[in-house]
Amino acid sequence: DTAVSQTPKYLVTQMGNDKSIKCEQNLGHDTMYWYKQDSKKFLKIMFSYNNKELIINETVPNRFSPKSPDKAHLNLHINSLELGDSAVYFCASSPRLAGQETQYFGPGTRLLVL
Amino acid sequence: QQQVKQSPQSLIVQKGGIPIINCAYENTAFDYFPWYQQFPGKGPALLIAIRPDVSEKKEGRFTISFNKSAKQFSLHIMDSQPGDSATYFCAARQSYNTDKLIFGTGTRLQVFP
């Protein structure tokens, strides 16, 4: 009965590889997000989708491409991985209704690029 | 550019103490101010949130104080417990349309027995 789930939990890969992280939410929310948390714990929004439509696209290298096949799923594909991409990536979802702004975070995917 | 400034970076208190974490912002268009709690190896979880038309909100042992004129808000944890040891993030919503949250830099709280 997990609300927001991510796979994989850990990802160790070599520089230059391409990898994907998957996110699914069973809360019935319309909006999903990707955040990056760096080694200093700083949490920054990367992308947001509302009903499969991209609504936030921060200054993120175009090696990062989100894809939302349906409103319950938001995947993150990363091309040509670099050392600086090592971080924890969190998916989140929200009903995004007045009075219901809570964003529910997944457990995170710990990416280490060697 | 850090739009939400959070302090202190770390905080150590004894059980029963009242840790206070402070945040300041510049953008007067922010309209929603949540606090998130993050345990090691877990995702952040909403703790408590406030809107700028209210000066204080209390939920259990957690209280937000909000000063709109000073553009500051703070989290107080009453009767702190070792189980409260976590990293706390303040945040501010930049736009209702995008629901974009700007997070502070986090405060690592340790509560010793």
Side-chain angles (χ1 to χ4, degrees):
Chain A
D1 58 346
T2 305
V4 181
S5 59
Q6 295 179 228
T7 53
K9 187 169 183 179
Y10 299 97
L11 190 49
V12 181
T13 188
Q14 299 286 334
M15 261 196 325
N17 285 350
D18 302 339
K19 291 293 178 186
S20 291
I21 306 172
K22 296 187 176 183
C23 178
E24 177 181 2
Q25 55 97 1
N26 63 4
L27 297 167
H29 293 165
D30 285 345
T31 307
M32 297 184 72
Y33 313 79
W34 276 112
Y35 285 87
K36 179 181 180 181
Q37 187 170 49
D38 63 22
S39 57
K40 294 183 179 178
K41 295 252 180 199
F42 184 57
L43 200 58
K44 192 173 189 303
I45 182 80
M46 298 173 69
F47 303 102
S48 174
Y49 271 76
N50 184 57
N51 268 323
K52 302 198 298 175
E53 180 186 349
L54 181 67
I55 56 171
I56 296 175
N57 186 354
E58 289 294 286
T59 310
V60 175
N62 57 15
R63 298 181 294 103
F64 290 79
S65 53
K67 281 193 171 52
S68 182
D70 55 60
K71 74 174 193 178
H73 296 84
L74 180 61
N75 304 323
L76 183 65
H77 189 76
I78 316 170
N79 288 329
S80 304
L81 278 155
E82 300 179 357
L83 295 176
D85 298 332
S86 296
V88 182
Y89 292 85
F90 288 102
C91 176
S93 75
S94 167
R96 205 166 150 247
L97 299 170
Q100 297 181 48
E101 293 98 337
T102 304
Q103 293 187 17
Y104 295 84
F105 283 76
T109 295
R110 284 139 190 87
L111 171 65
L112 178 60
V113 182
L114 302 174
Chain B
Q1 181 186 3
Q2 183 59 38
Q3 296 189 50
V4 179
K5 295 184 179 178
Q6 183 172 346
S7 63
Q9 191 174 352
S10 63
L11 197 47
I12 300 174
V13 299
Q14 292 281 345
K15 178 183 171 182
I18 306 176
I20 300 173
I21 304 170
N22 300 299
C23 285
Y25 63 97
E26 288 296 325
N27 188 344
T28 55
F30 288 156
D31 64 355
Y32 170 72
F33 301 87
W35 284 89
Y36 279 79
Q37 179 188 54
Q38 185 179 26
F39 292 104
K42 305 291 184 186
L46 180 71
L47 192 61
I48 186 173
I50 198 167
R51 287 182 177 75
D53 54 347
V54 175
S55 62
E56 184 175 282
K57 184 172 181 182
K58 186 175 181 180
E59 286 185 4
R61 296 184 293 107
F62 301 92
T63 300
I64 301 179
S65 297
F66 189 86
N67 186 329
K68 189 174 181 179
S69 60
K71 292 184 282 188
Q72 295 175 349
F73 58 111
S74 58
L75 176 71
H76 301 233
I77 306 175
M78 312 301 283
D79 188 27
S80 58
Q81 301 296 313
D84 296 330
S85 298
T87 300
Y88 293 81
F89 294 91
C90 64
R93 182 171 67 181
Q94 180 161 323
S95 162
Y96 174 78
N97 288 336
T98 63
D99 207 24
K100 177 179 174 181
L101 286 181
I102 308 295
F103 281 85
T105 48
T107 296
R108 186 181 173 211
L109 172 67
Q110 293 175 273
V111 182
F112 286 96

